[in-house]
Structures are given as C-alpha cells and as structure tokens.
Amino acid sequence: MGLRIIKPDTNIDFMGKRVVAMIASILVLALGLGAVIYNGGLNYGIDFAGGINIQVKFARDVEVREISQALRGQGLPEIRVQELGLDRANEYLLRISALDVNAEEMRDRIGTVLSENMTVDSTIQRLEMVGPKVGADLKNKALQALFYAVLFISIYISGRFEQRWMTAGIMAAGLLTGLYVLGLLALPLAYLVLSALLITLGLCWYLRLNYALGAVVALIHDVLITVGIFALLGKEFDLTTVAALLTIIGYSLNDTIIIYDRIRENLRSKNAPPLFQTINRSVNQTLSRTLLTSGTTLMVVLCLIILGGGVIHDFALALLIGILVGTYSSIFVAGSLLLGIGPTPENEPEEEAVQAA
Amino acid sequence: MSGLRWRIVAAVLVVGLAAVYALPSILPDKGPLSSVFPDKEVNLGLDLKGGINLILGVDMQTAVNNTLERMGEELRAEAREDKIIVLSPQVGSEGKLHFELLTRSKEKALDDLLDNYYADQLRLDSKEPGDRRIRYTVSMTSQYREKLQKMTIDQVLKVIRNRINQFGVTEPDIRRMENNRLQVQLPGLEDAQRAVDLIQQTAHLEFQLVDDEADVDKATKGVVPPGSELAYLQKPQPDGSYTRQPIVLEKNVLLSGEYITDAQVAFDQFNQPYVALSFDRQGARIFERVTGENVHERLAIVLDEKVYSAPTIQEKISGGRASITGQFSMQEAHDLAIVLRAGSLPAPVDILSERSVGASLGQQSIEQGIRSIVVGGILVLLFMVVYYGIGGLITDILLFLNILLIVAVLAGFGATLTLPGIAGIILLIGMAVDASVLIYERIREELRRGLSPRKAVDEGFSRATLTIVDANVTTIVAAVILYQFGTGPIRGFAVTLSIGVLASMFTAIFVCRIFFDLWLRQRKPGSSLNL
C-alpha cells in the first residue's frame, strides 16, 4: 500500500478562510504594485529596454568592486556589474543601458580595459545587444502574447468546459470588435491590452461565463503577483520572464480546471449540498493531487534553481513563485470567486447523461 | 477497454519508432548501427552550441534616396538628349527629388518626358514657377517604392548569403523577418566581430581620380573645389591601427564594383597579401580607357568611402585586372576578397540586435541543464515509487518514455533544443506525473467507495481522462501563443513544451492503461489493488 499525505476524509474549511486569503492576496498585490511604483516602473532587461549585456568569466575570484574600478574612468558608458549565478563560477554580468553603443566596439574595449587593468585573466563568454527598435517590438509582442493567451484560454474554458461554444464565439467577436474600435483610437499597446482584458472580464460577466471569469481572474492574479514579487526582489524583466509567466498561466489553469471540474461534477449529483460545502468538498477531494503535482514540480524547479546555472536562474525563480501562487490561487481565488458569483447554470443534460453512464 | 493485445502492439510500435529516432542523439557514437538508424540528432540552439544571432535592419530610406539620386542623374541625361536643360537634381532631407527646368518654354517637353519614362516610378508633387526657371519636386510612387523595397531586401539577402557561404560557416541560417529585417544565425562561430564586419560592409567599390591640384589643407577646413570631394586615405601602422590622411578626389566615379567578376587574395614579392580583382569585358574596357586617358595621375581605390590606396597610373592597363593593396593581414585580405566577390549591398544594414554565446559557455549550459534534469528526475522517480508503490513504478517507466518521445520528436522534426527548452523538459518531468497522479488519486477514491479493482480502474481512467485533456489543452494553448510571439530560445521552449504535453497525454492515457490492464490480469482474483 502506498503512502498518503492527505487522509481520505480530510475536510479543511478552505472557503471559510476566503476573507483571510483575500486580504493576503490584496496585501501581496499592493506590495508588488508599491515596488513597481517605487522603482518607477518595471525593471526591464535589455530585451525590452535595449542595451548591452556582456558576461565575463574570470580565471579566479574577483570582487565586483575590482571590476567596477577597472572599468571606471575609461571613457566607457555607465556600466553596472553584477555577479551571476550561485555556484561561485566567477562569472559577472556587465550591463550597459546606453542605447547607441556599438556592440563590437564595446566587446573590444571592455576586453582591452579588463586585460590591461586587472591581473586576472578574463574571457567574454556571451554578448547580447538589443537595439531600441527591436526592444520596443519585443515588448509589444510580449504584451500581445500575454493578452492572446488569456483570450484564447477564456474562450476555450467557456467552450470546452461549459459547452457554450456559441457564447464563447460571441465573446471573441465582441472582444475583437472592441479591440478594432480601440485600435482606431491609436492608443499605446499597453492600454490596448489593459482595455482588452477589462472587456474580456466584462463580457465573461455579462454572458455569465462564470467559470471562465473565475479562471481568468485567477490567472491575472497569478501574473500580477509574480510580476510584483519580481519587482520586490529587484529582478529583471525580460523575454524569459514572459515565457515563465505564460508557463505559469498554463500551470495555474491546470489546477483551476481540475478543481472546477470536480465542483461541476459534484454539483451534478442528485443531493448536492449547498455551493459552499460543494466547493470545500471538491477542493479537499483534489487536494492530494494538487499537493502531489505541485510538490513534484517544485522539486524539479528547485533543482533547476540550485543546479541550473546563472542563465536559467531567474526563469526558474519565476516558475517557483508562479507555481506556489498558482496552486494557492486555484483554491482561494478561483474557488472563492465561483462562490461569490455562482457557477454557470447547467444547460446540457445530454452531456451529463453520457458522463454519468 | 478491449483489444489489449492491439494496444500493446501499437504502444510498442510507437516506442520502438521513438527509440530509433532518439538513439542518435542519446548515443553520439553510433558504431556499426549508423547505417541503419536515422542520423538526425537533436539540433542544439545557439545558446547551447555557441554562436552568433544577429538581427539586421535594412536601411530602406537610404536605398530609396540612392535610387532617387540615380534617377535624377538619369533624368538629366535623358533630358539633355531632347535638348532640355535640367539643373541640379538633388534628394532633399524629406526623401523627395528636386530639380529645376532652365527654360520655361520646355515645360511641356519635360512633362511629356516624365510621363513617358517615369510614370510608374515617379509622381509629380509640385511645380513652382520662378523668374525663368521652374522648380520641380517629385517623389517615388508607392508601388515603385514597394517594388524597390522587395528588390532591395532580396538583394541584401542574396549578398549576405553569398558572403557567409564563402566565409565558411556550417549551417548558417539567414531568413527574412517583418519590417525589413533579416535574421542571421551563425552557429559555432566565435569571432563575432569579424562576422559583423563581413556582413555589414556595404562593399561599394569605386575608382576615382585624385585631384592633385586641390589644396588639401583648405579642403579639410571646408573649402573643397567644385567637382571634388574630401576623403581619407587609410594608412596602416605597424601596430595594426590606421591613420587617416586627408586626400581630395574628383567626384566623378570612373568605374565601380559592379563590373567585378572575381576577387582573390594574392601575394606580392614581399609576401604581403593583396586583393587581385578581375573585371568583366565591359569593366575591362572602361578600365583600359580610364587608365589610358590618365597616365601619371593617381587613381584612388575607394571602398565604402574609405580610400584604400591611390597608386599612380604608370601606363594603360588592359586585360581587366587591378589590385587593392594596403598592407592587409591575411584575414583582412581574405574578408575583403569575399565582400568584393559577393557584391555590394544595395542599402546599408544596421545591427539591431546581436546575441553571441561562446562555445564553452554553451557546453557548460548543457552540462548544468542535464545535471538538473538527472537530479530532479531521480528525486521524482524515487518519490513516486515511495508514494504509489507499483503504480509509482509504472509512472517512472512512463516518464522515461516521455523523455524518449520528446527527444525523438525533437530529432525527427529537426526542431531546436534551447536552454529554455531544457528547462521545459525539467518542468515537464514535474508536470508529467500530474496525469498519473490524477488517475491514481481517482482510482484510490473509487476503491474507497468500495468498487472492485477492475471497476475502480475503469472509472478512474474514464473520469480522469477528460480532466487531463482539459488541463493539458490549455497548456498547449499557452505554448502555441509562446511560439507565435516568441523568438529564438523562447520558441524552442514552446516547441518542447507542446511536444512534452502531447507525449505525457499519450503515455498517461494510453500506455498507462495497458500497464494497469496487465497488472489487473496477473493479480489473484479477489485480492486488493495495491496502489
């Protein structure tokens, strides 16, 4: 017989703690938002802000201070030096945010300055330069990606999950029309995406696509909290972070759908208890799966953070935060929200009959 | 579920096929089997292999301006044949061509000329009558601009491809992107600077006479005689740097690089490399005439507005050969020969983004990535066995199959494995157990409800399958969007993620069921299911 972490008859009152959870969520969100405002916006990496990153490996231990001193007063643009990775590989990242510098020239000059002013041998291992034009394009694309992910996911949930493809289609059409009209106003893309999200939420509300609404709110919650914690930690925001966010969206949705699936199933049984108990029961029934999957995923993500090296570190960190937040949100945010607005009324008895048989 | 035998056959076929495709990537040394197995290995991304990724922007405005300028000269020559005097065609800063008609009586004739020859290409914006002259402003029609744009990009692509092919990079990848951009990937190449120089050089070669009568000092102060221009002669120093010596050239270009058929590195009597040029027949004729008419004058060889050398013409040179000397290093001479052979770029290109990774770092990334996979994987494998017993063992086998399938699909489709891709695989190891967990937890629940093991397994699978599909399709949606909007390594991550999700659905729903059916079959009737 295998092990059990969660006893079969576990019945934790998750919904009873929803107010505490809500306060916690709002607190973390506010902290993150505060950090973003305090920093004067997100700390964009060179993918979005443009600039040059040069990764240098030294033959032995050096101090960040030594490198900064060696670079100072050489007529080079403002260069920030930071240590890379956790494994003491003597690797450092030199960051130049000035936009109009030539990558080749910088490679040459930094190489020369380091070899002339430091006693330690160094090699340039990696150089990344993103010009302002490409940076702006990448930022737009990343925003679009996040937006379309949320849009398609809400359509998919409404269609596949609630069997309401027509309504989902109406929502998509409404959203695209709204976007077209907004597009005529020539707003910056960030506002466009924000408005699109609000329209999506409004449409979900209006069309009573309640499962989709709950899932999307949970998604936005997860993304905002991860971004906020990244801002709090002073981490940089680049394309890999966006990839991590999209992965988190996928992951968090996994969790939410599995819990919603169970709620829907339990509501269908003949003598279903009131919604409050049903949601609690569903969360408890899926709890051991939730903990197991999150646990194994966290296990490997931790390996990635510890052993994966500097390049992948922030990506793994975003995943770690996202998985923790995603697991929490599928219980407390998605669950509580459904309790607040009520599940979408069932309107496909044939489907049920097939499933029950 | 029935037809267990057929399901086993199908699963073994899929797994066998996957093994065949995955093997070359897992075992680098294929030995005698190499003739039987497909030899496609997983394609490693630049971040793992090391190499250079450039995004180039083609400076279209300059291409348009150059074309307008050329059209202005053509128009002037054309008009002269009809006895119409057109003055000073010039491209303004706003990208339009301005010129003046000397005598107003010829207005009709010039308009006809514009109509007959340039209607497709030029559009008349305004005519401003002056005292006696008329000032014309024309601009390029949008159709012609588009055509020019397309031609220019095609040409740039061709020239860069030629240069890189001759440079000797294995498997370069050059492709067009939106917004007049090109992406150039040079795997395994370490010397980014050299590659960038080679690609970015416009390689516009011109032969111009040196204006020896002009006062160089005055010219540097801005007083250049009409018809001449100031340029700089590059003088290489022993330490490898260059000094720039001012020199005045006659503006008139006598011969340009378009007539070059070949450029090769050759050596002079001091074993110094230089670049030997050959012209085509027309070029050879022009060169012969130019050198014949200007004996004892200095002929400057100008590449991208830098004067490489300005030798004195000793005699008429026939045979269509010339040389560029300049105390080059072997590498410089070699690269110069390549750009001259491959032709000049019709428009300048800017480096909009550059990412280069040293091969040693790439190697390190692979090692770290694989180490994380192994450690994370072992932890998960152990945990599953401890938690689910035989069920956990089945999950472990499924995990191996998963990784095998991912590697096989990556290799078979020639997809690229990147560092985020490795991260994707690691993440998938964690998530791949999700499907098993869903099924097992469901079976445990059904067992608790008192169902017989067979019934519980049936119920568990059928109820969990829908949930698994729902949950995984959303991940695929996210992956497809990642692919659509991502670039480079991110795309690699998206591909790995979708392949992994599909593989885990296959193993969990299809293969896992086979194992359970086998397990149920050999279990003694009446005993409980040890899950």
Side-chain angles (χ1 to χ4, degrees):
Chain A
M1 199 70 181
L3 287 174
R4 276 179 181 36
I5 293 175
I6 305 295
K7 290 198 185 71
D9 52 353
T10 306
N11 196 6
I12 304 170
D13 181 15
F14 287 105
M15 287 306 105
K17 299 181 183 66
R18 65 182 190 282
V19 179
V20 183
M22 203 150 105
I23 293 170
S25 281
I26 289 172
L27 219 64
V28 178
L29 275 174
L31 263 176
L33 188 69
V36 173
I37 292 171
Y38 181 78
N39 295 337
L42 291 173
N43 181 13
Y44 287 125
I46 62 160
D47 285 339
F48 300 140
I52 302 182
N53 277 355
I54 299 179
Q55 188 178 334
V56 189
K57 187 181 177 69
F58 290 91
R60 60 169 172 77
D61 251 4
V62 278
E63 299 274 318
V64 169
R65 192 170 36 84
E66 281 178 72
I67 307 171
S68 308
Q69 259 165 16
L71 294 169
R72 199 170 301 147
Q74 301 289 334
L76 293 166
E78 181 81 11
I79 297 180
R80 280 195 288 142
V81 183
Q82 75 192 61
E83 197 174 351
L84 252 187
L86 301 167
D87 42 357
R88 302 201 161 272
N90 306 321
E91 286 172 354
Y92 294 85
L93 194 67
L94 314 182
R95 278 210 51 186
I96 306 162
S97 43
L99 289 174
D100 284 329
V101 271
N102 183 315
E104 299 319 310
E105 216 179 287
M106 285 320 295
R107 183 200 296 273
D108 240 30
R109 280 177 58 196
I110 286 180
T112 319
V113 166
L114 286 180
S115 66
E116 278 172 2
N117 295 330
M118 289 185 72
T119 50
V120 193
D121 278 347
S122 58
T123 40
I124 292 181
Q125 290 191 306
R126 167 192 293 266
L127 179 142
E128 296 178 314
M129 183 278 284
V130 179
K133 276 188 212 158
V134 174
D137 273 13
L138 289 176
K139 197 155 52 180
N140 283 348
K141 278 195 150 191
L143 273 173
Q144 269 176 304
L146 285 173
F147 163 67
Y148 280 114
V150 172
L151 172 66
F152 284 121
I153 283 167
S154 55
I155 291 173
Y156 176 74
I157 297 178
S158 315
R160 171 70 196 84
F161 197 77
E162 302 184 20
Q163 295 298 317
R164 291 172 65 192
W165 288 108
M166 275 294 280
T167 322
I170 294 170
M171 179 173 75
L175 187 64
L176 291 176
T177 320
L179 271 186
Y180 178 75
V181 174
L182 283 171
L184 296 179
L185 297 175
L187 286 171
L189 193 75
Y191 289 101
L192 210 61
V193 168
L194 192 69
S195 338
L197 277 182
L198 291 177
I199 297 177
T200 311
L201 290 179
L203 281 171
C204 281
W205 174 263
Y206 180 74
L207 297 169
R208 296 189 56 76
L209 294 167
N210 291 354
Y211 286 107
L213 182 61
V216 170
V217 170
L219 285 188
I220 295 172
H221 169 270
D222 296 348
V223 168
L224 288 183
I225 284 195
T226 311
V227 170
I229 294 180
F230 250 57
L232 267 177
L233 297 176
K235 291 284 173 193
E236 261 172 26
F237 218 77
D238 55 19
L239 269 184
T240 28
T241 327
V242 174
L245 286 179
L246 279 163
T247 317
I248 291 166
I249 288 183
Y251 185 88
S252 152
L253 210 64
N254 251 12
D255 258 15
T256 306
I257 284 186
I258 284 160
I259 292 176
Y260 274 7
D261 212 38
R262 192 51 85 94
I263 294 175
R264 195 172 56 147
E265 188 187 319
N266 285 338
L267 281 174
R268 278 181 190 154
S269 67
K270 281 186 200 98
N271 41 7
L275 191 57
F276 186 89
Q277 274 96 327
T278 307
I279 293 179
N280 253 341
R281 205 174 102 193
S282 311
V283 172
N284 277 297
Q285 280 171 337
T286 49
L287 191 60
S288 87
R289 175 263 156 202
T290 307
L291 292 182
L292 272 181
T293 301
S294 301
T296 51
T297 314
L298 283 179
M299 243 188 254
V300 279
V301 170
L302 276 174
C303 286
L304 205 58
I305 290 184
I306 296 167
L307 304 171
V311 186
I312 207 82
H313 183 264
D314 285 0
F315 176 76
L317 186 67
L319 286 182
L320 179 78
I321 301 169
I323 288 166
L324 289 173
V325 179
T327 308
Y328 157 87
S329 79
S330 43
I331 297 175
F332 287 104
V333 180
S336 313
L337 211 83
L338 203 61
L339 183 60
I341 53 180
T344 309
E346 295 278 351
N347 56 353
E348 3 78 271
E350 319 93 291
E351 242 280 310
E352 262 181 79
V354 173
Q355 281 211 0
Chain B
M1 253 197 228
S2 57
L4 180 60
R5 185 178 303 162
W6 291 113
R7 281 187 285 134
I8 293 175
V9 169
V12 168
L13 270 180
V14 171
V15 173
L17 199 67
V20 166
Y21 273 100
L23 218 55
S25 309
I26 297 170
L27 300 172
D29 187 19
K30 289 169 284 280
L33 289 174
S34 59
S35 54
V36 187
F37 284 91
D39 54 356
K40 270 195 259 174
E41 287 181 32
V42 171
N43 197 356
L44 295 181
L46 288 184
D47 53 347
L48 293 177
K49 201 175 353 184
I52 302 165
N53 182 341
L54 298 170
I55 294 179
L56 309 172
V58 180
D59 183 353
M60 211 43 84
Q61 194 54 48
T62 305
V64 168
N65 287 356
N66 287 346
T67 309
L68 275 176
E69 208 164 287
R70 210 199 58 229
M71 286 165 113
E73 289 302 328
E74 261 176 43
L75 177 73
R76 178 152 76 166
E78 201 82 41
R80 196 184 296 137
E81 282 181 14
D82 294 351
K83 307 263 180 339
I84 308 166
I85 311 293
V86 167
L87 292 177
S88 59
Q90 251 179 26
V91 180
S93 55
E94 77 291 14
K96 291 180 176 184
L97 179 66
H98 306 278
F99 53 86
E100 285 181 336
L101 175 64
L102 184 62
T103 39
R104 291 184 76 162
S105 56
K106 296 276 188 183
E107 184 181 343
K108 175 85 173 61
L110 182 60
D111 287 353
D112 284 348
L113 181 74
L114 278 173
D115 255 5
N116 290 339
Y117 291 100
Y118 295 98
D120 301 340
Q121 301 166 6
L122 293 175
R123 191 183 59 213
L124 183 64
D125 284 342
S126 64
K127 273 197 266 189
E128 292 164 36
D131 277 353
R132 283 166 43 219
R133 303 173 177 186
I134 303 178
R135 189 177 157 78
Y136 280 72
T137 302
V138 296
S139 57
M140 206 177 273
T141 60
S142 56
Q143 296 100 309
Y144 189 68
R145 183 186 281 265
E146 258 167 46
K147 198 173 144 199
L148 178 73
Q149 194 152 321
K150 198 179 162 298
M151 278 178 353
T152 307
I153 303 251
D154 282 344
Q155 180 75 10
V156 169
L157 200 72
K158 202 181 92 199
V159 168
I160 290 181
R161 188 165 285 152
N162 269 338
R163 288 180 186 178
I164 288 171
N165 285 344
Q166 298 186 20
F167 190 48
V169 182
T170 47
E171 296 179 46
D173 182 50
I174 305 157
R175 63 182 63 187
R176 188 179 308 208
M177 295 165 74
E178 57 199 344
N179 300 336
N180 300 332
R181 285 178 192 166
L182 301 175
Q183 185 186 43
V184 179
Q185 293 194 318
L186 308 172
L189 193 69
E190 291 272 356
D191 194 346
Q193 171 135 31
R194 196 175 159 201
V196 169
D197 285 346
L198 188 79
I199 288 170
Q200 215 178 4
Q201 201 159 11
T202 312
H204 202 67
L205 185 71
E206 289 171 336
F207 292 82
Q208 284 165 279
L209 283 178
V210 177
D211 183 357
D212 278 319
E213 281 153 31
D215 187 331
V216 175
D217 285 340
K218 273 189 179 169
T220 50
K221 292 189 185 91
V223 188
V224 186
S228 294
E229 62 187 354
L230 181 68
Y232 289 91
L233 179 63
Q234 297 221 342
K235 284 257 172 149
Q237 298 298 304
D239 66 349
S241 65
Y242 288 94
T243 54
R244 287 152 48 92
Q245 182 194 335
I247 187 170
V248 179
L249 303 180
E250 289 181 15
K251 261 187 185 169
N252 188 21
V253 174
L254 301 174
L255 179 62
S256 68
E258 62 195 295
Y259 302 107
I260 292 173
T261 54
D262 195 16
Q264 292 290 342
V265 180
F267 297 91
D268 63 12
Q269 67 265 41
F270 306 111
N271 217 19
Q272 271 286 322
Y274 68 94
V275 178
L277 304 176
S278 315
F279 295 109
D280 62 10
R281 275 177 55 194
Q282 197 186 349
R285 249 193 335 264
I286 301 173
F287 196 57
E288 189 174 344
R289 180 174 54 76
V290 165
T291 48
E293 283 170 4
N294 299 291
V295 174
H296 302 311
E297 296 213 43
R298 286 164 75 200
L299 186 65
I301 300 168
V302 189
L303 183 72
D304 293 341
E305 281 152 26
K306 279 181 291 204
V307 182
Y308 273 74
S309 57
T312 307
I313 302 169
Q314 303 296 348
E315 57 187 352
K316 178 158 117 176
I317 305 172
S318 50
R321 295 188 165 275
S323 60
I324 305 177
T325 56
Q327 290 171 358
F328 303 115
S329 71
M330 184 59 207
Q331 185 181 312
E332 283 168 338
H334 175 243
D335 291 356
L336 187 59
I338 289 178
V339 293
L340 289 174
R341 242 187 347 248
S344 65
L345 292 177
V349 293
D350 304 321
I351 308 282
L352 298 181
S353 146
E354 174 189 335
R355 287 166 201 266
S356 49
V357 176
S360 62
L361 183 67
Q363 191 56 41
Q364 192 191 336
S365 303
I366 297 181
E367 280 164 17
Q368 285 176 329
I370 290 184
R371 194 162 25 144
S372 324
I373 290 190
V374 170
V375 174
I378 288 176
L379 284 177
V380 172
L381 294 182
L382 284 178
F383 178 79
M384 289 309 282
V385 174
V386 169
Y387 199 83
Y388 285 117
I390 296 176
L393 213 59
I394 294 177
T395 306
D396 289 355
I397 297 170
L398 299 183
L399 259 185
F400 275 115
L401 293 185
N402 255 318
I403 293 178
L404 191 72
L405 282 171
I406 294 173
V407 174
V409 176
L410 282 177
F413 284 100
T416 306
L417 183 66
T418 57
L419 191 59
I422 291 186
I425 295 183
I426 297 166
L427 183 69
L428 282 165
I429 292 178
M431 285 172 67
V433 302
D434 182 54
S436 293
V437 169
L438 274 168
I439 295 170
Y440 295 174
E441 288 298 313
R442 202 68 206 224
I443 295 177
R444 279 181 170 186
E445 259 181 68
E446 303 299 333
L447 285 172
R448 274 198 302 274
R449 275 177 50 201
L451 292 183
S452 74
R454 173 157 289 282
K455 267 255 149 44
V457 169
D458 277 348
E459 271 298 281
F461 269 95
S462 72
R463 283 179 180 266
T465 299
L466 269 178
T467 313
I468 292 170
V469 171
D470 278 343
N472 283 329
V473 168
T474 48
T475 306
I476 292 181
V477 168
V480 167
I481 291 162
L482 266 184
Y483 186 82
Q484 190 60 39
F485 292 98
T487 51
I490 306 286
R491 283 195 156 191
F493 174 67
V495 171
T496 317
L497 193 66
S498 0
I499 297 172
V501 168
L502 290 175
S504 88
M505 276 163 75
F506 168 75
T507 55
I509 296 170
F510 191 75
V511 184
C512 187
R513 186 67 206 260
I514 295 176
F515 281 116
F516 266 85
D517 284 350
L518 287 172
W519 188 16
L520 286 172
R521 183 176 281 195
Q522 58 88 52
R523 194 183 48 95
K524 286 190 209 82
S527 67
S528 66
L529 193 65
N530 189 8
L531 185 70

